[in-house]
Amino acid sequence: MEEFLTMEFLAPVGRLLRMIFFWSGFAALVGLLVALVVPAERSASSFRVFGLGMVGVTIGSCVGRTIFHIESFDPVSPAGVVFAIVAAIIALLAFYVFTFFVSTSETPEFNEQEEAYLQKQLANCSRQEVEDILIDLLHEYPETYDYVDRTLNP
């Protein structure tokens, strides 16, 4: 067991841990910079900002090495930081486009049966409750604008 804890073993482990902490900090910094640049990300959770930074650092350094054709491209250089930020923003835009298409393809339909059921429910509610329910309905089913308008303005 003592041979296992020798300096020969601990030195590479220490270098690996320092490298992990350094890249984690660098990724967090890139994520924070992207959160400052993109207004929608200012309220994002710290895990999302960190993940965005990790994606940016990884993709940015790979693209930087590919474009400059040098193996020793330094991701921590000013060019590396710019590549990481641009890569994180592009990844964020790709994420938004993907989630937009997924969310619009799964939009539920508001049919006549649901309308009849809703009319029964609304009959026993006060005017304020009806307005609240219909506004929630409008947020969930944007295509119900005409129905909501007819109900609120008879």
Side-chain angles (χ1 to χ4, degrees):
M1 183 69 171
E2 286 182 26
E3 300 104 26
F4 187 69
L5 296 177
T6 62
M7 292 306 274
E8 295 161 2
F9 174 74
L10 292 179
V13 171
R15 278 195 303 268
L16 178 66
L17 288 175
R18 281 191 301 275
M19 186 176 69
I20 289 171
F21 285 126
F22 172 78
W23 283 107
S24 298
F26 183 58
L29 177 68
V30 168
L32 286 173
L33 290 174
V34 171
L36 290 174
V37 172
V38 180
E41 290 302 302
R42 290 193 181 135
S43 62
S45 70
S46 55
F47 289 116
R48 182 172 172 160
V49 169
F50 177 73
L52 187 60
M54 288 298 277
V55 168
V57 166
T58 304
I59 294 174
S61 63
C62 290
V63 169
R65 284 186 179 148
T66 304
I67 288 176
F68 291 125
H69 300 293
I70 52 176
E71 206 48 46
S72 63
F73 174 75
D74 186 13
V76 186
S77 67
V81 172
V82 170
F83 273 102
I85 290 173
V86 170
I89 290 173
I90 291 171
L92 184 65
L93 291 175
F95 172 75
Y96 282 148
V97 167
F98 175 74
T99 56
F100 172 76
F101 284 118
V102 168
S103 67
T104 56
S105 66
E106 297 176 2
T107 303
E109 297 285 329
F110 184 73
N111 58 34
E112 291 81 23
Q113 291 174 333
E114 290 171 325
E115 184 175 339
Y117 175 76
L118 188 62
Q119 285 291 7
K120 288 180 190 176
Q121 296 296 321
L122 294 178
N124 301 326
C125 296
S126 69
R127 175 73 180 179
Q128 183 62 43
E129 291 172 329
V130 168
E131 288 177 3
D132 292 341
I133 290 170
L134 290 177
I135 289 182
D136 288 342
L137 176 74
L138 190 56
H139 286 295
E140 188 172 346
Y141 301 98
E143 71 274 4
T144 61
Y145 177 80
D146 292 333
Y147 170 75
V148 170
D149 189 46
R150 281 192 321 265
T151 307
L152 289 177
N153 305 313

